[in-house]
Amino acid sequence: MNNQKELERNELHKTIWKMADDLRGSVDGWDFKQYVLGLLFYRFISENLTSYLNEEERKAGNLDFDYTKLSDEEAEYGREDTLADKGFYILPSELFCNLRKRASEDKDLNITLGKILDNIENSAKGTASEDDMKGLFDDLDFNSNKLGNNVDDRNTKIIKMLNAIGVTVRFGKRTLFEDVNIKFNKGCCYGIIGANGAGKSTFLKVLSGELEPSKGEVAMEKGERLSVLKQDHFAYEEHTVIDTVIMGNQELYKIMQEKNAIYAKPDFSEEDGMIAAKLEERFAELDGWNAESDAEVLLNDLGIDGSKHYKLMSEIEAKEKVKVLLAQALFGNPDILLLDEPTNDLDLKSISWLEEFLINFENTVIVVSHDRYFLNKVCTHIADVDFGKIKVYPGNYDFWYESSQLALKQMKDANKKKEEKIKELQEFIARFSANASKSKQATSRKKSLEKIELDEIKPSNRKYPYVDFKPDREPGKDILQVKNISKTINGEKLLNNVSFTVKQGDKIAILADNENAKTLLFQIIAGEVEPDEGEVIWGTTITSSYFPKDNSYLFESEDTITDWLRQYSKDPDETYVRSFLGRMLFSGEEALKKVNVLSGGEKVRCVLSKVMLSGANFLIFDEPTNHLDMESITSLNDGMIKFKGNMIFTSHDHQLTQTVANRIIDIKIDKVVDREVTYNEYLGIE
C-alpha cells in the first residue's frame, strides 16, 4: 500500500469531492469533515466489515438502509470510482442519500456517527495500518465552496492554516509548555487562556516568529501573511497615522516607498521604468490603490476622525495610538491575525466594533484576552494553557469553563464512588481473609480491589483567590445622596450638576463620556476630593470602602505585605493576617515581599484584601479588574454578586458589569441618564 500511496490518495480525493458535493450544506462544516467523512473514508475499513457496520448502525438506532442486501450490480455502482479493488471500503451511494436526509433532520446524527466510528475502529484494529491513512485529509477543506468546481483543481489547493508542530518552550530549567501540536484553521477564532505566567503571550510570540521555540517549529503556508498587534505604542512616533496603519502590510508599504523613491529621481532611466513597472504590477495585486482609503475606513470605524489621519503619531493621544496599532494589525485582510489583549484601553464603542469585525473575519484569529465577554462573543475555540500543555476545545469561554467544571465534578464523583468501593472491599478482606469458609470470596475481592484505580485529578495551575465582602452591619434605609455635584479640573468641567440617590439593594454601574469624570466622581464620594459645588450626604448606618483606580499612593512604604495589611485589620494577630493573605494567593515567603516592589496584579489583590477587612456595607470600585488575571476576575465577580450591601462601580469588564449592576448611571456632557436596568438592557443587547 505504501508504494501506491500517492495514487490512492488522488483517486480517493476524487471520490471524496463527489460525496462532499452531495452532502455539503446539510451539516456543519466541522462535523461534516470530522464525523461524516471520517466515518466513511478516514479509517481503513475492509470489505468484510460490511455486515458488522450494518449491525452496529442498527444497534445505535440509526440509518435504516440495509446495504448488506444490495445486489452485486448495485454494490458495484455504489463503489464507482472508489478504491474497493485496493482494499478500501466505500459505502454505496444509496447510503449517502440516506445520510443527507438524516443530516437535515437529526441534530444528534454527529453523536451517532461518532459512536459507530468508535465501534468500527475497535473491531478493525489490526486490519490496517493507521499510519497509512494518517493525514490523508489534512489538506482538504471539505465544506468550502470557494475552491472551484473542478475536482482535480480542488486537490491542489489547501485550506490556509497555521501549524504548531512539536513546539516546546523552556527558560532555564522551567518548561512553559512541551510538545504542542495545534492546527489553527481558517475561519476560526482561537482564544488562548491560562493562568498568569502560563505562557499565553509567549506562545503568541512563538507563533509570530518573534521567539524561537526550544524545540519544534511553526509552519505557515507559503504566501500567507501574518499580522500581529504591536505592543510598543511609541514605535512609530515619526510616522503619520495613515502610514502606520498601512505598515500592517509590510510588503505593500515597502513597495510604496520604493515607487515614490524611483519617481522622485531627477534622472529617471529606462531601467528605473522597468523596475517601476514591476512594482506597479505587484502594487496592484496587493490592492495598493485602495490602501489609503481602506486605512481611513478602519481609523474612522475606531473613532479616529479624518483630521488626525495625516498627523504624526507623536501628535496624538495615548488612547488613540492604541487604536491606530489595532487598525494596523487588521489592515489588508491578513491570513492569520495574532492579538494580545486587543481590548485593553479601548472604549466600549470600539470594543463592540472589534467584536463585530472579528465575528465577520473569514481568516484565522488567535487572541489572548482577559475579557470573558469578548472571548464569548468572538471565539469558536478555546486553547487552554495548563499542565505545560496546550489543549484546544471547541466553543467559547463559557462553554469551556462550564464543561471543565462539570468534568472535574464528574471525575471527583466517580473517584468518590471508587473510594467507597475500595473501602468496602478492604473491610471484607480484613474480616474474612482468615476465615476458611470465606477464603475464596476474600481472594476474589482482593483481586477486584487490585483492579480499581483512582483516576488522577491533576490540580490545575490556576489559582482562584478568596474574595468575599462581608459587611459588619446591615445598611439602614438612608444610604447615599449625591446632590448637584460640579467639578472643573484644569479648565475642563468634568462633572456638571450630577445628582442621584442610592437606595437599598442598589449596585450601580457608572458610565461616562469622559473616563476621568468617573474617577473624579468616586474621589468626591470617597471624600478624597472636594467638589466645586454640591454635597455628598451619607446615611448614619453606612460605612464605606474605596478601591481607587490608581492605587500607587497606597504602596510607597517599604513595609512587607503582612505589615501593610495589618494596619487595616481589626485583628492584628500575624497568624490571622497571614492566613487571610494565603487565601489571596500570598502564601509563605510571598507574604513577606515589600509592597513597593509588587506587580500591578499583586497590588490589586492587596487593595481587595483591605476592602474585605474593612467590613464596610458600601463599596466604591474604580476599575477593580485592571491588572487581574481571569481567575482573579472570576473570583471578584462572584464576590461582588454575593455582597449584601450597596456599591457603585465602573469596569471595562462587560460580563462583570452585566452580572453585578441592577442600575446604570451614565454621566453625559450635558445630562445624567439614570435607569434601573441591566447593562445589556441599557446597551440594547438581547
Side-chain angles (χ1 to χ4, degrees):
M1 179 175 175
N2 287 334
N3 295 334
Q4 301 176 338
K5 193 168 183 179
E6 274 311 308
L7 175 65
E8 293 169 352
R9 181 186 294 261
N10 291 335
E11 291 188 36
L12 189 57
H13 280 180
K14 289 182 182 180
T15 303
I16 290 167
W17 286 123
K18 181 179 177 182
M19 301 309 177
D21 285 335
D22 188 46
L23 282 173
R24 181 177 294 112
S26 309
V27 293
D28 177 79
W30 178 258
D31 293 334
F32 183 39
K33 176 180 176 180
Q34 293 296 104
Y35 294 116
V36 179
L37 291 177
L39 170 64
L40 303 177
F41 300 110
Y42 191 68
R43 292 290 182 262
F44 181 84
I45 304 171
S46 69
E47 199 164 340
N48 62 17
L49 284 176
T50 304
S51 60
Y52 177 83
L53 177 59
N54 191 71
E55 183 185 348
E56 291 303 320
E57 285 177 345
R58 290 187 179 284
K59 283 181 183 178
N62 291 288
L63 313 169
D64 54 9
F65 183 78
D66 188 354
Y67 49 85
T68 60
K69 297 180 180 179
L70 285 174
S71 66
D72 291 341
E73 185 179 348
E74 288 173 325
E76 189 62 34
Y77 172 77
R79 297 195 281 282
E80 182 183 17
D81 280 331
T82 71
L83 301 177
D85 59 327
K86 297 183 176 68
F88 287 99
Y89 179 75
I90 295 188
L91 299 178
S93 58
E94 286 85 350
L95 186 57
F96 281 95
C97 297
N98 190 290
L99 273 171
R100 183 173 184 177
K101 182 173 179 292
R102 289 295 305 276
S104 62
E105 298 173 351
D106 188 357
K107 293 182 179 178
D108 294 327
L109 178 63
N110 298 325
I111 298 172
T112 298
L113 293 174
K115 290 178 180 177
I116 295 170
L117 180 57
D118 288 341
N119 289 330
I120 292 170
E121 289 179 338
N122 291 333
S123 174
K125 275 182 182 176
T127 64
S129 171
E130 222 173 281
D131 290 336
D132 289 337
M133 299 292 286
K134 194 174 288 182
L136 191 60
F137 306 110
D138 287 352
D139 61 344
L140 295 172
D141 179 11
F142 296 106
N143 214 37
S144 175
N145 281 313
K146 300 178 181 180
L147 297 178
N149 295 317
N150 185 285
V151 170
D152 293 323
D153 287 346
R154 287 183 181 180
N155 288 326
T156 65
K157 301 178 183 180
I158 45 183
I159 186 171
K160 292 180 176 177
M161 61 175 65
L162 179 71
N163 296 339
I165 307 165
V167 170
T168 297
V169 173
R170 298 189 185 96
F171 294 106
K173 294 182 178 180
R174 186 192 176 201
T175 300
L176 277 184
F177 38 82
E178 188 170 16
D179 198 26
V180 173
N181 294 281
I182 303 176
K183 286 184 179 178
F184 298 100
N185 293 312
K186 181 181 178 182
C188 298
C189 179
Y190 299 84
I192 311 293
I193 64 170
N196 275 358
K200 302 183 295 294
S201 295
T202 301
F203 187 55
L204 282 194
K205 290 178 180 178
V206 170
L207 294 177
S208 70
E210 184 181 342
L211 180 68
E212 283 288 327
S214 307
K215 193 175 75 173
E217 64 174 329
V218 174
M220 187 170 66
E221 196 59 36
K222 187 178 179 181
E224 289 192 350
R225 186 168 70 84
L226 183 145
S227 184
V228 181
L229 175 60
K230 301 293 195 302
Q231 301 297 321
D232 185 356
H233 300 162
F234 303 98
Y236 302 91
E237 297 291 87
E238 302 304 314
H239 298 276
T240 65
V241 169
I242 204 82
D243 279 355
T244 302
V245 175
I246 296 173
M247 283 180 189
N249 188 332
Q250 281 292 331
E251 184 186 3
L252 175 61
Y253 183 74
K254 185 180 178 183
I255 290 173
M256 290 174 67
Q257 297 301 103
E258 290 176 356
K259 276 176 53 187
N260 293 338
I262 290 174
Y263 292 140
K265 281 186 173 184
D267 54 345
F268 190 87
S269 66
E270 184 178 344
E271 185 181 353
D272 289 331
M274 293 176 65
I275 295 172
K278 289 182 180 180
L279 290 173
E280 290 288 4
E281 183 180 359
R282 182 57 179 159
F283 184 74
E285 289 175 356
L286 295 171
D287 200 23
W289 297 112
N290 294 317
E292 287 195 16
S293 61
D294 290 345
E296 288 175 348
V297 169
L298 282 172
L299 290 168
N300 289 331
D301 287 342
L302 285 165
I304 299 176
D305 62 69
S307 65
K308 297 177 181 178
H309 292 181
Y310 293 89
K311 284 187 175 181
L312 294 176
M313 288 287 285
S314 58
E315 297 175 320
I316 64 173
E317 296 179 16
K319 62 182 181 181
E320 293 173 323
K321 291 177 183 179
V322 172
K323 294 180 178 181
V324 174
L325 293 184
L326 178 59
Q328 180 192 76
L330 304 179
F331 175 76
N333 194 37
D335 299 294
I336 301 159
L337 184 57
L338 305 184
L339 303 173
D340 193 354
E341 298 290 354
T343 63
N344 279 3
D345 301 315
L346 287 187
D347 55 77
L348 178 64
K349 187 177 179 181
S350 298
I351 292 173
S352 297
W353 177 86
L354 178 60
E355 288 169 354
E356 289 302 313
F357 181 94
L358 295 179
I359 289 169
N360 296 313
F361 189 68
E362 295 184 352
N363 295 331
T364 305
V365 182
I366 305 169
V367 57
V368 171
S369 177
H370 287 119
D371 189 327
R372 298 162 297 167
Y373 184 85
F374 178 76
L375 292 177
N376 281 331
K377 285 276 286 189
V378 305
C379 289
T380 61
H381 297 75
I382 294 296
D384 182 25
V385 187
D386 203 6
F387 306 123
K389 301 289 184 182
I390 303 178
K391 191 172 181 180
V392 177
Y393 301 87
N396 61 15
Y397 176 79
D398 275 357
F399 185 82
W400 167 84
Y401 181 77
E402 291 170 14
S403 301
S404 62
Q405 293 300 305
L406 179 62
L408 185 62
K409 183 179 182 301
Q410 289 174 338
M411 198 178 293
K412 287 179 177 177
D413 289 345
N415 279 348
K416 188 176 179 181
K417 291 177 182 178
K418 287 184 180 181
E419 287 170 350
E420 291 172 355
K421 185 68 175 175
I422 288 173
K423 188 177 178 182
E424 179 189 329
L425 291 170
Q426 286 174 333
E427 289 175 352
F428 183 91
I429 293 166
R431 277 201 314 268
F432 298 110
S433 58
N435 189 322
S437 64
K438 298 278 188 178
S439 61
K440 288 185 178 180
Q441 263 186 286
T443 303
S444 174
R445 297 286 178 104
K446 192 170 182 179
K447 289 179 179 178
S448 298
L449 179 63
E450 291 170 353
K451 292 178 182 178
I452 297 177
E453 296 179 1
L454 291 179
D455 294 324
E456 184 185 3
I457 304 175
K458 291 176 73 175
S460 173
N461 291 327
R462 292 178 175 81
K463 295 180 179 179
Y464 292 81
Y466 174 82
V467 181
D468 191 10
F469 307 103
K470 294 181 179 179
D472 291 339
R473 62 180 296 181
E474 291 186 9
K477 185 178 180 181
D478 296 325
I479 309 296
L480 171 67
Q481 289 185 67
V482 176
K483 286 189 171 183
N484 306 317
I485 294 293
S486 295
K487 184 70 178 179
T488 299
I489 302 291
N490 297 327
E492 182 182 8
K493 198 163 193 175
L494 296 178
L495 299 173
N496 183 22
N497 198 31
V498 175
S499 297
F500 58 88
T501 299
V502 180
K503 308 184 301 295
Q504 282 185 319
D506 277 347
K507 293 181 179 179
I508 304 171
I510 304 294
L511 311 180
D513 291 337
N514 189 319
E515 291 286 312
N516 295 328
K518 294 183 290 185
T519 294
L520 184 59
L521 177 64
F522 291 149
Q523 289 173 330
I524 291 172
I525 292 174
E528 295 196 352
V529 174
E530 287 292 324
D532 295 336
E533 300 174 27
E535 60 181 334
V536 175
I537 304 172
W538 289 98
T540 56
T541 62
I542 304 303
T543 55
S544 66
S545 186
Y546 173 44
F547 181 104
K549 183 177 182 178
D550 181 6
N551 56 40
S552 57
Y553 68 94
L554 295 172
F555 299 95
E556 294 174 348
S557 72
E558 293 194 1
D559 290 340
T560 65
I561 299 175
T562 304
D563 291 336
W564 181 89
L565 190 61
R566 186 185 284 113
Q567 65 183 311
Y568 303 108
S569 175
K570 295 182 178 68
D571 185 349
D573 182 70
E574 182 160 343
T575 304
Y576 173 77
V577 176
R578 291 285 293 268
S579 94
F580 192 93
L581 285 170
R583 294 187 297 179
M584 293 300 289
L585 311 185
F586 295 108
S587 55
E589 295 298 312
E590 288 287 309
L592 301 178
K593 289 173 68 173
K594 292 188 177 180
V595 295
N596 58 0
V597 298
L598 297 180
S599 68
E602 289 171 330
K603 288 178 180 177
V604 170
R605 281 188 275 126
C606 283
V607 180
L608 288 175
S609 301
K610 172 180 175 292
V611 173
M612 281 188 277
L613 288 171
S614 72
N617 53 24
F618 191 104
L619 305 181
I620 307 164
F621 288 112
D622 189 359
E623 296 291 350
T625 63
N626 285 0
H627 307 292
L628 290 182
D629 58 21
M630 204 171 296
E631 290 69 42
S632 296
I633 292 172
T634 300
S635 297
L636 172 62
N637 198 159
D638 292 341
M640 291 173 71
I641 292 171
K642 290 190 298 183
F643 178 58
K644 300 299 185 182
N646 295 95
M647 71 171 66
I648 59 171
F649 70 95
T650 187
S651 175
H652 282 98
D653 190 293
H654 188 117
Q655 187 163 332
L656 183 144
T657 305
Q658 167 61 18
T659 55
V660 174
N662 58 13
R663 181 177 167 189
I664 306 294
I665 293 178
D666 194 351
I667 302 172
K668 304 288 187 182
I669 296 173
D670 55 348
K671 62 179 180 178
V672 175
V673 180
D674 188 345
R675 294 179 61 189
E676 292 189 18
V677 293
T678 66
Y679 189 41
N680 281 352
E681 287 171 340
Y682 183 74
L683 297 176
I685 299 174
E686 294 182 358

